Amino acid sequence: MAVIDPANHGLRLATRYTVLILIAAIFVLPLLFMVMSSLKPTEQLLNDTSSLRAFLPVGDISLQNYYDAFDRAPIGLFVFNSLLVTVVTVSLSLLLCSLAAFSFTFLKWRGKGLILSITLATLIIPFETIAIPLLLLVSKLPWIGLEGFRIGWLNSYHVQIVPWIADALTIFLFVQYFKDLPEELVEAARVAGASWWQVYLRVVMPLSGPVIATGAILKSLKMYNEQYLWPLIVVQQESYRPIMVGLGYFFQLQVAWGEVMAYLSLITVPVLVFYLMLQRAFIASIASTGVKG
Amino acid sequence: MADVALKDLRKSFGDVEVIKGVDIDIQDGEFVVFVGPSGCGKSTLLRMIAGLEDITAGTLEIDGQVVNEVQPKDRGIAMVFQTYAIFPHMTVRENVAFGLTIAGMPKAEKDAKVLEAARILQMEHLLDRRPSQLSGGQRQRVAIGRAIVRDPTVFLFDEPLSNLDAALRMDMRMEIGKLHNQLTATMVYVTHDQVEAMTLADKIVVLEDGQVRQIGTPMDLYHHPANLFVAGFIGSPSMNFLDVTVDAKHDGTVTVSNPSLDPIEVTPTDSVAPGARAKLGIRPQYLTPSADPTKGKLHGTIELTERLGTETIVDVAMADGTKVIAALSEDAIFEIGAEVSLTFDPAKTHLFAAP
């Protein structure tokens, strides 16, 4: 039987940890740089970028950039807007996409294979190619809201929500998951008297925790972190702007890098909280889907 | 409880017809077992009765009503699946009560029905457990409990014992038999295990390639198989078939022989003409070793013996290469390679036209 040499084992462990620390550093250092820079005046921040001081809380450290950032932009409003749009979109998307996937997987209807293929094919269409036609469309659509009937969706929350609810990737995730559920469970429920709606609510969805978590995480990150171009073109009023558009407030005339870093640090907090809450599901979702977040 | 009538029932998947015109009458309270080899269509037929597969042509009646287009939930049936199909996110109590909850039954009434089902299946102590905490046999009880509480007119069982080990399978088989006596419900049961079919059924339907080959009581099928397929399928070990030639035809009987078999007079099942090739079927249980090795009807060499305790199975190779299996008494002792002569009662043989 092979005997492990203690010295050799220690060396392996040291090598492994060194590699892990190096990889971790690649991901942690930019965040550290962001937070440290947010505490420094712009001039010192730019000077420090040529040395390791960029990652250390040294020199003239204060929270002044945070005060200035709050003065320059309504950060609370932007974060609220982004959270509202994200929560509503993700909730509706999970409901709608899971229903679509349920239909694709369990119901029998003519042409569903073709429709599913077309739906999945939309994954390869970049958003930029449909942005202008979509803008023209939403600018002419009617809407009945709290303020009554009006034509055109521009400058609203719903213009940032509705076009993002249906999503081929989320449908695909649900279809793949539903296909792996034992078909007999659905059949048993049907025979026991359940309608299709009851099968969805009482059998399929309660067993779909992992894919709901995966879909929620991927969609939330996309809605919170990556919504820039679309809100930029459909929202002119400050009251509806999300965080990424709000970043533009810090690039007018002279760029205040310290305030930029303070703003970025602040808007990262909700993502960090979200990540820490769902850390286990987050890692499982990335591992199980092979989809990068 | 209800009658079930299948009239010229057909099912196609695309261009492939898998059920080819099946006619079966199931009487109220009857226990009917569908048997047949893998791919014969028995499960598909059961799923058509359940409403889980569309009917391509023909008529399905439950309690006198045509139900071809009726949803599974409205057919008054309950089904037990091979894989149990109990819901992993619910307790046993919630699983058993599922159909009643869906139907909106008041809680008190629902609880009473669940307790009654649990009492019948002796699983009162399991009601608050999760399926993951149950053994295979217990899970199958839960699935049966879920079926019982709905008071269905017809119970459908799709190979419910296939996933259980041999000992548990026997216990559960007896439980299902008792349940049928207790509930006096119409039950349709699919299996490939002929022991289950023979022990449980009032009536067995033997299927092959989407067609009914014979319907009858277990003993009917065993003693009077209508064709070569049923003769070979029912009985364990399987019936021996000898290639014979019809030497002469008499009034209701024929004389047959082959190089390893002395001429014997038998009653044919199929119509056969003198000079025709035929298959003579002899059940292994009806072969007995001849006390005088020169006076048996079949002569051969022993190739293998298997002692099962209650009987000894002997494989015999005859001079023309034909293999014969004999199920002999437990105390029969034979050496591999020894010569043996076997005798049988010609009245207990079956003669079929050669395919």
Side-chain angles (χ1 to χ4, degrees):
Chain A
M1 202 169 81
V3 178
I4 297 172
D5 178 354
N8 197 8
H9 179 64
L11 190 66
R12 273 192 197 179
L13 214 58
T15 312
R16 186 180 300 171
Y17 274 98
T18 309
V19 172
L20 287 175
I21 287 166
L22 280 175
I23 294 171
I26 292 171
F27 289 93
V28 170
L29 287 180
L31 287 173
L32 195 63
F33 172 75
M34 177 180 77
V35 175
M36 291 305 134
S37 300
S38 73
L39 302 171
K40 299 173 185 175
T42 297
E43 195 178 332
Q44 186 195 331
L45 184 163
L46 294 173
N47 287 337
D48 284 355
T49 51
S50 57
S51 71
L52 279 177
R53 289 170 61 88
F55 302 105
L56 300 172
V58 290
D60 186 5
I61 297 297
S62 76
L63 292 174
Q64 190 55 45
N65 287 328
Y66 288 86
Y67 298 129
D68 294 344
F70 272 106
D71 284 343
R72 192 190 286 244
I75 298 174
L77 176 69
F78 293 162
V79 170
F80 170 79
N81 287 345
S82 275
L83 286 177
L84 179 76
V85 167
T86 300
V87 169
V88 176
T89 311
V90 170
S91 305
L92 293 176
S93 181
L94 290 176
L95 175 69
L96 194 80
C97 295
S98 63
L99 279 171
F102 183 86
S103 173
F104 283 129
T105 314
F106 299 114
L107 305 189
K108 289 178 188 165
W109 45 280
R110 198 177 290 274
K112 73 172 180 179
L114 179 69
I115 302 286
L116 179 61
S117 302
I118 293 171
T119 306
L120 296 184
T122 62
L123 279 171
I124 61 170
I125 301 174
F127 174 72
E128 287 74 9
T129 59
I130 61 163
I132 300 304
L134 194 61
L135 170 67
L136 295 174
L137 179 69
V138 296
S139 66
K140 290 171 185 163
L141 285 176
W143 183 264
I144 299 174
L146 292 174
E147 66 276 17
F149 178 83
R150 70 168 188 169
I151 294 291
W153 288 10
L154 303 183
N155 289 315
S156 65
Y157 286 122
H158 55 266
V159 76
Q160 299 177 69
I161 292 171
V162 177
W164 302 96
I165 294 172
D167 161 20
L169 178 64
T170 311
I171 292 174
F172 176 70
L173 290 178
F174 274 103
V175 166
Q176 288 304 106
Y177 187 84
F178 288 169
K179 276 184 181 167
D180 288 341
L181 285 178
E183 203 180 351
E184 289 87 352
L185 291 179
V186 172
E187 292 177 343
R190 293 279 294 149
V191 170
S195 62
W196 282 118
W197 181 245
Q198 286 168 322
V199 172
Y200 169 81
L201 278 182
R202 290 178 180 271
V203 177
V204 172
M205 289 311 276
L207 294 174
S208 301
V211 70
I212 292 171
T214 304
I217 288 164
L218 296 179
K219 190 81 180 175
S220 298
L221 292 180
K222 182 178 170 61
M223 291 307 297
Y224 188 84
N225 285 342
E226 297 172 20
Q227 284 300 73
Y228 177 70
L229 180 61
W230 181 245
L232 191 68
I233 58 179
V234 295
V235 173
Q236 275 77 49
Q237 282 180 22
E238 185 178 87
S239 55
Y240 294 111
R241 278 182 186 154
I243 49 164
M244 285 304 156
V245 177
L247 192 58
Y249 281 56
F250 299 91
F251 288 91
Q252 293 157 355
L253 301 174
Q254 199 171 357
V255 180
W257 286 108
E259 290 176 38
V260 170
M261 295 301 167
Y263 181 77
L264 291 175
S265 300
L266 283 170
I267 65 173
T268 305
V269 172
V271 181
L272 274 179
V273 171
F274 182 61
Y275 173 76
L276 291 174
M277 277 167 55
L278 293 174
Q279 188 179 9
R280 195 181 292 267
F282 188 89
I283 292 166
S285 70
I286 302 299
S288 65
T289 60
V291 179
K292 284 191 277 182
Chain B
M1 283 155 286
D3 298 339
V4 180
L6 285 65
K7 296 178 179 171
D8 194 25
L9 219 56
R10 290 172 188 275
K11 171 73 185 172
S12 299
F13 290 107
D15 294 335
V16 182
E17 192 173 40
V18 293
I19 300 293
K20 301 171 179 172
V22 166
D23 292 279
I24 304 171
D25 270 319
I26 301 169
Q27 304 299 317
D28 185 12
E30 213 169 24
F31 198 123
V32 174
V33 177
F34 294 171
V35 288
S38 294
C40 70
K42 54 189 187 297
S43 282
T44 305
L45 203 54
L46 192 81
R47 291 168 59 80
M48 289 164 79
I49 298 174
L52 297 173
E53 296 288 353
D54 296 333
I55 294 169
T56 308
T59 310
L60 172 67
E61 291 177 12
I62 297 179
D63 215 8
Q65 304 291 315
V66 176
V67 294
N68 286 34
E69 302 298 327
V70 176
Q71 290 291 307
K73 66 189 176 76
D74 300 322
R75 293 190 181 199
I77 49 144
M79 187 161 171
V80 177
F81 294 82
Q82 181 180 353
T83 53
Y84 323 129
I86 52 178
F87 307 121
H89 58 294
M90 297 180 192
T91 62
V92 168
R93 188 187 301 276
E94 289 164 339
N95 262 286
V96 174
F98 182 78
L100 309 179
T101 308
I102 291 287
M105 182 178 279
K107 189 174 182 307
E109 195 183 341
K110 187 168 72 178
D111 288 349
K113 294 200 83 155
V114 170
L115 276 177
E116 173 62 11
R119 187 191 61 74
I120 292 172
L121 295 166
Q122 296 164 13
M123 57 174 196
E124 292 106 315
H125 61 296
L126 303 176
L127 284 174
D128 294 316
R129 291 199 196 167
R130 294 265 171 192
S132 58
Q133 298 168 305
L134 303 178
S135 67
Q138 289 170 332
R139 288 179 198 192
Q140 198 53 284
R141 274 170 209 269
V142 176
I144 294 171
R146 191 172 59 194
I148 290 176
V149 291
R150 296 184 60 232
D151 294 330
T153 53
V154 182
F155 281 91
L156 306 175
F157 293 90
D158 188 5
E159 306 206 29
L161 309 184
S162 301
N163 284 8
L164 305 179
D165 63 50
L168 202 52
R169 201 179 307 159
M170 197 172 82
D171 288 347
M172 283 303 291
R173 195 176 71 215
M174 291 162 81
E175 294 282 339
I176 290 174
K178 276 192 228 163
L179 194 68
H180 178 239
N181 294 334
Q182 216 169 335
L183 302 175
T184 60
T186 308
M187 293 186 173
V188 185
Y189 189 105
V190 163
T191 182
H192 62 264
D193 181 331
Q194 55 175 290
V195 177
E196 280 173 35
M198 297 293 281
T199 51
L200 288 171
D202 294 322
K203 191 157 83 183
I204 295 178
V205 178
V206 183
L207 292 152
E208 185 200 15
D209 193 24
Q211 291 169 306
V212 173
R213 302 310 307 265
Q214 190 173 357
I215 300 176
T217 65
M219 285 302 115
D220 257 352
L221 265 55
Y222 188 78
H223 291 301
H224 308 290
N227 49 60
L228 204 59
F229 176 78
V230 175
F233 191 78
I234 298 290
S236 177
S238 294
M239 187 183 280
N240 297 297
F241 291 109
L242 304 179
D243 290 318
V244 293
T245 307
V246 179
D247 297 330
K249 192 168 185 178
H250 316 290
D251 185 18
T253 61
V254 292
T255 302
V256 296
S257 67
N258 80 8
S260 307
L261 174 71
D262 302 332
I264 55 167
E265 197 173 325
V266 298
T267 306
T269 304
D270 293 340
S271 171
V272 285
R277 305 286 299 163
K279 292 271 187 188
L280 181 70
I282 313 165
R283 292 215 178 274
Q285 289 79 4
Y286 295 150
L287 288 169
T288 48
S290 173
D292 180 351
T294 60
K295 291 195 174 165
K297 292 189 174 73
L298 296 170
H299 309 278
T301 309
I302 294 174
E303 285 200 326
L304 184 69
T305 63
E306 294 172 291
R307 295 188 173 281
L308 304 182
T310 54
E311 60 183 3
T312 300
I313 307 294
V314 180
D315 289 16
V316 179
M318 295 196 296
D320 63 354
T322 310
K323 298 276 169 57
V324 169
I325 292 174
L328 308 177
S329 66
E330 67 207 83
D331 51 1
I333 297 172
F334 291 102
E335 294 295 325
I336 291 174
E339 295 288 320
V340 67
S341 290
L342 299 168
T343 188
F344 56 88
D345 179 358
K348 289 186 173 175
T349 61
H350 307 270
L351 189 73
F352 303 100

